[in-house]
Amino acid sequence: MKYALVTGGSRGIGRAICVKLARMGYSVIINYVSNEAKALETLDLVRAEGGDGELLKFDVADGAAVREALEGWQATHAGEYIEVLVNNAGIRKDNLMIWMEPDDWHKVLSTNLDGFYNVTRCVIKDMLVKKYGRIVNVASLSGLKGLPGQANYSAAKGGLIAATKALAQEVGRKGVTVNAVAPGFVRTDMVEGLDEAELKRNIPMNRFGSPEEVAALIGFLASAEASYITGECISVNGGLYS
């Protein structure tokens, strides 16, 4: 059995990634932090594709909770390892810097950037031992371009892109690839409250993207066919560039 872990897999882009990986033959570990009902819906969709999976609850920002959950998973899956890791969990707490409270800065950095460290550090050793692994980090247009009101989110996603490039150089010789995907405006809960009609005027394709379009690229980067692509950050943004 091949295993893939998707953090923040209960909704939106994470859900689409879980379904895509299930179609590719992976048993999908669906991480969530609070909404078990949505996570169960994702598991049902995975099984509807003929795949299988399981739920794994933990907050990626809590290093101790991550270690406990993943060590527990390993204890019940002797001889197995997580072959694909998609670091997708993320939150937004937008505000102009002058009004941004410290808690909103630290929570966004903790989930979006510390979460990458906490989870990746727990699973990468087995990838190196097995000499095969795929790590895909979900970054953002905000991490490339910088968006007003998102200094915290831009900092976290920009840091994630830089970490992707650094880690790729550390593990490439062991058959582990590390890439990032930077979605633009994708129709999920994360863009609620944004003026779609106004924003899409600046997008050459004149529309927001879908979670499935992002998941399609992630599926390719998670595949054996992408074995010579590493250290990259690929945009999925309908042609919207800085």
Side-chain angles (χ1 to χ4, degrees), residues 43-166:
L43 182 57
D44 287 342
L45 290 171
V46 162
R47 288 173 173 164
E49 293 294 329
D52 201 4
E54 59 195 290
L55 305 187
L56 195 60
K57 180 179 180 179
F58 59 82
D59 181 355
V60 298
D62 184 338
V66 172
R67 286 193 301 275
E68 182 179 359
L70 291 175
E71 287 173 1
W73 182 89
Q74 193 64 66
T76 59
H77 295 77
E80 305 285 2
Y81 83 110
I82 294 169
E83 182 176 299
V84 171
L85 167 62
V86 182
N87 287 301
N88 169 72
I91 61 170
R92 276 178 41 218
K93 289 184 177 292
D94 296 354
N95 214 335
L96 297 178
M97 177 69 82
I98 193 170
W99 293 310
M100 185 177 291
E101 295 296 328
D103 194 51
D104 289 346
W105 173 270
H106 292 296
K107 280 187 175 178
V108 169
L109 269 290
S110 293
T111 298
N112 294 286
L113 189 55
D114 293 352
F116 153 79
Y117 166 80
N118 291 336
V119 180
T120 303
R121 189 167 182 264
C122 283
V123 304
I124 198 167
K125 180 179 178 180
D126 285 339
M127 292 182 180
L128 297 174
V129 169
K130 300 288 187 180
K131 296 187 178 179
Y132 184 89
R134 297 285 183 266
I135 299 171
V136 185
N137 301 317
V138 180
S140 171
L141 170 70
S142 188
L144 293 168
K145 178 183 174 65
L147 294 175
Q150 290 193 339
N152 49 1
Y153 192 68
S154 294
K157 294 301 189 179
L160 181 61
I161 292 167
T164 296
K165 294 177 178 293

Side-chain angles (χ1 to χ4, degrees), residues 176-189:
V176 179
T177 65
V178 189
N179 290 290
V181 171
F185 295 104
V186 177
R187 194 172 285 108
T188 68
D189 293 348

Side-chain angles (χ1 to χ4, degrees), residues 10-44:
S10 64
R11 297 180 295 170
I13 291 174
R15 172 175 288 181
I17 296 166
C18 290
V19 172
K20 176 64 177 179
L21 292 173
R23 289 174 181 156
M24 293 169 59
Y26 284 95
S27 180
V28 184
I29 306 164
I30 304 163
N31 161 252
Y32 71 103
V33 66
S34 59
N35 198 331
E36 184 174 2
K38 290 293 184 182
L40 286 168
E41 287 177 12
T42 301
L43 182 57
D44 287 342

